[in-house]
Amino acid sequence: MIRPDLCLDFANTRYYRGQATPTETLNAPADLAAWTKAAKAPSTKEFETALALRETIYRLFDAHAQGKAAAPRDLETLNHALARAPARTALKRGRDGYSWDVDARSGTALALLAPALWSAADLLAGPRLDRVRRCANPECGWLFLDDSRAGKRRWCSMSACGNRAKARRHYHKSKEDA
Ligand SMILES: [Zn+2]
């Protein structure tokens, strides 16, 4: 099964994007192999293509989350990748249920990322696009799908950014009170 927000997970492999030095979790081709559960690491060139695609995906969703129009070039890049990615033609059944059968043997960025690309397309064109949010902590920039009933989730997680913001508010408030 492809999680609907797999594309956001991929975009979040680089986080704290608002800080001077964001946290990068994909530092080498082997990291991408691990993330995509590929048998072997892609070439450096394919790795760089994958990182560029990740940034495209991030920008597309970030723009929407901020109520801005996405750059036409980013949509073009995604469309180009979708057109050249392995075809989404066959399902397979495994222990956890059904999934798309992807031929990733070529080891190209597009083969490794096919499920992430499809999830990006489905999320962009689907009914939950308006539930894509960017964490309200400007230093964080984490993208997430807001599954709360009211649709008012603001933080990537309360334990990380939410509590920090609450602590900051509390700090400011007690300073004002003093
Ligand atoms: Zn956050």
Side-chain angles (χ1 to χ4, degrees):
M1 192 186 81
I2 300 177
R3 297 216 341 273
D5 54 353
L6 180 69
C7 54
L8 303 184
D9 284 356
F10 183 50
N12 289 333
T13 55
R14 184 178 174 85
Y15 60 99
Y16 284 137
R17 287 169 175 268
Q19 291 185 342
T21 311
T23 302
E24 178 61 76
T25 64
L26 303 181
N27 294 296
D31 299 332
L32 182 66
W35 194 84
T36 57
K37 301 188 178 75
K40 68 180 180 72
S43 68
T44 306
K45 185 169 162 275
E46 294 298 331
F47 176 62
E48 279 163 9
T49 302
L51 291 191
L53 270 170
R54 179 188 65 182
E55 297 312 296
T56 298
I57 290 172
Y58 184 88
R59 285 193 300 270
L60 283 167
F61 286 104
D62 182 45
H64 190 84
Q66 296 195 73
K68 293 180 189 158
R73 246 193 78 199
D74 286 333
L75 183 57
E76 256 170 54
T77 303
L78 178 62
N79 280 337
H80 191 62
L82 284 166
R84 289 180 307 141
R88 181 156 54 161
T89 50
L91 291 168
K92 64 179 176 190
R93 195 175 148 76
R95 231 176 314 161
D96 305 329
Y98 294 97
S99 64
W100 289 104
D101 194 8
V102 193
D103 183 0
R105 280 173 302 178
S106 66
T108 63
L110 295 177
L112 294 178
L113 294 177
L117 294 169
W118 298 333
S119 113
D122 290 346
L123 192 53
L124 283 168
R128 294 166 86 195
L129 179 59
D130 284 339
R131 287 297 187 111
V132 174
R133 311 256 184 273
R134 187 173 84 161
C135 177
N137 172 2
E139 284 191 13
C140 176
W142 192 272
L143 296 175
F144 61 90
L145 205 48
D146 179 2
D147 281 325
S148 69
R149 199 192 300 204
K152 287 183 176 161
R153 193 177 142 197
R154 297 183 61 210
W155 314 101
C156 59
S157 79
M158 230 24 221
S159 59
C161 294
N163 278 345
R164 218 157 22 163
K166 227 160 60 183
R168 209 159 34 221
R169 263 200 311 272
H170 181 76
Y171 172 76
H172 287 302
K173 202 171 169 299
S174 28
K175 262 209 323 200
E176 280 158 24
D177 290 347

